[in-house]
Amino acid sequence: MKQNLLDLNYEDLKYFLSEKIGVEEKKLNMRAQQIFTATYQKGLNDFEKFTTIPIDLRKELSKKISFNDSKIVETHESSDGTLKFLVELFDGNKVECVYIPEKTRGTVCVSSQVGCSLTCTFCRSGTQKLVKNLSVSEIVSQIILVKDKLKDWGDQKIVSNIVFMGQGEPLLNKNLKKAVAILKDKNGLNYGNKKITVSTSGIATKIAEAANEIGTYLALSLHAPNDKLREEIMPINKKFKIKDLIKQLKYYTSVVKEPIFLEYVMLKGVNDSIDCAKQLVKLMAQFPCKVNLIEFNSWPGVKFEPTERKDIEKFSKYIQDKGYMSFIRRSRGDDVLAACGQLRTESQKRKST
């Protein structure tokens, strides 16, 4: 079976070229750089087109290395220009990712798992049981596929930002670290720490590790300012309390030197009162952070309703008046179920026989 190139970081590739291809040591760095540049900066996926590499070596590489085994099988375009892609993986499972165009940037929202194990009550992804963690190549290929679709292989970088806010809990996937390393590699896709955001529902035991080994922006899906309310809508809070999260988030900001983004979906009559805003301000006072207030995106069968815009603005103003940064994130792509909390596929865990 061929080695999938997108599963290899730069050092892995050098090792593979040495041990499996027989490239001499003094040429390892050059060959790895040529392959990474052609793949991640020019979007090439056929060794025949790697013209900087000798023909004999290209033939040998073709025998032992494959490129991306994932493919886009459906594309849905929202009225606001947002694109949702259904990606079929090598094993037949499917996952969704989203491209969100804005005036000053273009963001790809990436999934890290097929399904999700966390069952947050307001999130459609949580209604699909966890099928599996995505491999490194299955994560990286989402960006590659979107860049291909947008013909984004020039210097302009249409895809300027990457957020791990799709299906799944990123910090529960051990492949996240290597995938992010490939995204950040200067020989590869070359996205800086400030162009990548990893979101977590609050896996407190993994946050310090992420600070030391990943180092990107971190977003916490908070959605409630106290344990009682958070446990009602996010069962993960029964295991990791808010005080535990605060301790770890303080550590994260001390290492990465950037504020935490607090994600807070506004649910009518649930977490949108001024009393909740007061509690949220007390929480925000404990570590460097900003809050994104998210319009709730409805989906079939959900019991929650979105907070009215005027009440979101009132909530946001209260936080700003207390001296903290609060932003209202408008919904994008909800007409094609591409908005925050709406991603889901029909993939199911296969029973072992």
Side-chain angles (χ1 to χ4, degrees):
M1 191 172 177
K2 290 184 179 182
Q3 169 67 54
N4 191 323
L5 178 63
L6 304 191
D7 277 317
L8 303 177
N9 64 21
Y10 195 73
E11 290 304 313
D12 292 338
L13 177 58
K14 284 169 65 176
Y15 179 82
F16 188 88
L17 292 175
S18 173
E19 298 298 312
K20 304 296 183 182
I21 307 292
V23 174
E24 54 188 307
E25 189 170 349
K26 66 180 181 180
K27 292 186 177 179
L28 278 178
N29 201 58
M30 177 181 69
R31 296 303 182 210
Q33 193 169 23
Q34 287 170 330
I35 292 169
F36 253 49
T37 298
T39 303
Y40 292 114
Q41 294 180 15
K42 297 180 180 177
L44 302 179
N45 57 10
D46 180 353
F47 283 114
E48 288 301 309
K49 297 176 181 176
F50 284 41
T51 52
T52 55
I53 295 174
I55 292 173
D56 288 349
L57 180 54
R58 279 185 253 165
K59 287 178 179 177
E60 193 62 23
L61 291 169
S62 296
K63 290 176 188 174
K64 295 182 179 177
I65 297 179
S66 67
F67 287 86
N68 179 26
D69 292 318
S70 304
K71 59 185 178 182
I72 292 172
V73 291
E74 286 182 23
T75 302
H76 300 274
E77 184 169 2
S78 167
S79 57
D80 64 21
T82 298
L83 297 171
K84 182 174 77 168
F85 303 103
L86 181 66
V87 177
E88 185 175 308
L89 310 173
F90 178 68
D91 61 6
N93 279 306
K94 295 181 178 69
V95 73
E96 291 183 327
C97 64
V98 177
Y99 170 68
I100 307 159
E102 297 176 81
K103 285 182 180 178
T104 57
R105 63 184 176 181
T107 302
V108 173
C109 180
V110 179
S111 292
S112 55
Q113 297 176 315
V114 180
C116 187
S117 61
L118 300 186
T119 63
C120 300
T121 55
F122 53 85
C123 180
R124 187 169 180 251
S125 299
T127 65
Q128 180 184 3
K129 289 183 179 179
L130 178 66
V131 176
K132 69 167 196 171
N133 283 324
L134 295 186
S135 68
V136 174
S137 61
E138 288 169 341
I139 294 171
V140 174
S141 68
Q142 292 173 67
I143 293 99
I144 297 289
L145 288 168
V146 174
K147 284 174 71 70
D148 254 348
K149 201 81 172 175
L150 299 174
K151 296 180 172 55
D152 183 26
W153 298 112
D155 296 328
Q156 77 279 17
K157 241 179 186 175
I158 296 170
V159 175
S160 61
N161 294 70
I162 298 164
V163 297
F164 285 84
M165 296 181 180
Q167 291 167 260
E169 166 54 57
L171 296 191
L172 290 179
N173 185 346
K174 61 181 175 52
N175 297 318
L176 175 73
K177 176 186 169 184
K178 187 183 282 190
V180 170
I182 292 171
L183 301 184
K184 293 199 293 186
D185 197 300
K186 286 182 168 55
N187 295 304
L189 287 166
N190 193 24
Y191 287 96
N193 278 333
K194 294 183 180 182
K195 297 297 183 180
I196 304 172
T197 303
V198 173
S199 178
T200 178
S201 294
I203 313 300
T205 51
K206 299 287 186 181
I207 290 174
E209 183 183 329
N212 295 321
E213 298 185 356
I214 297 174
T216 62
Y217 278 135
L218 184 71
L220 172 69
S221 293
L222 181 66
H223 307 309
N226 62 67
D227 285 326
K228 183 177 181 298
L229 181 54
R230 195 165 190 262
E231 283 170 26
E232 289 174 10
I233 61 175
M234 299 182 71
I236 189 66
N237 200 84
K238 293 173 184 175
K239 187 172 183 180
F240 301 113
K241 304 296 185 186
I242 290 177
K243 68 174 178 6
D244 301 320
L245 289 174
I246 290 172
K247 181 181 177 183
Q248 296 303 320
L249 295 173
K250 282 180 179 177
Y251 177 78
Y252 197 98
T253 58
S254 73
V255 173
V256 178
K257 310 298 184 189
E258 295 292 346
I260 304 295
F261 292 101
L262 300 178
E263 305 292 311
Y264 196 100
V265 65
M266 300 293 287
L267 304 171
K268 187 175 182 178
V270 177
N271 64 354
D272 60 352
S273 67
I274 291 301
D275 186 50
C276 282
K278 289 177 182 176
Q279 293 177 54
L280 181 56
V281 163
K282 287 181 181 178
L283 191 155
M284 293 179 72
Q286 298 179 59
F287 59 96
C289 60
K290 307 172 183 180
V291 66
N292 287 323
L293 303 178
I294 303 166
E295 294 178 344
F296 174 63
N297 304 299
S298 191
W299 43 272
V302 70
K303 65 180 181 179
F304 298 107
E305 295 178 20
T307 299
E308 291 182 29
R309 180 74 186 200
K310 63 179 176 59
D311 292 324
I312 299 178
E313 289 171 355
K314 187 176 170 185
F315 193 99
S316 183
K317 187 175 185 304
Y318 180 88
I319 295 168
Q320 290 172 348
D321 287 347
K322 295 297 179 181
Y324 297 95
M325 297 183 78
S326 173
F327 306 94
I328 299 174
R329 196 203 290 170
R330 67 190 180 93
S331 181
R332 296 292 300 273
D334 59 322
D335 56 332
V336 291
L337 292 177
C340 184
Q342 291 185 323
L343 302 188
R344 187 188 191 282
T345 68
E346 298 305 315
S347 293
Q348 297 181 0
K349 196 153 194 167
R350 290 165 171 75
K351 293 180 180 176
S352 55
T353 53

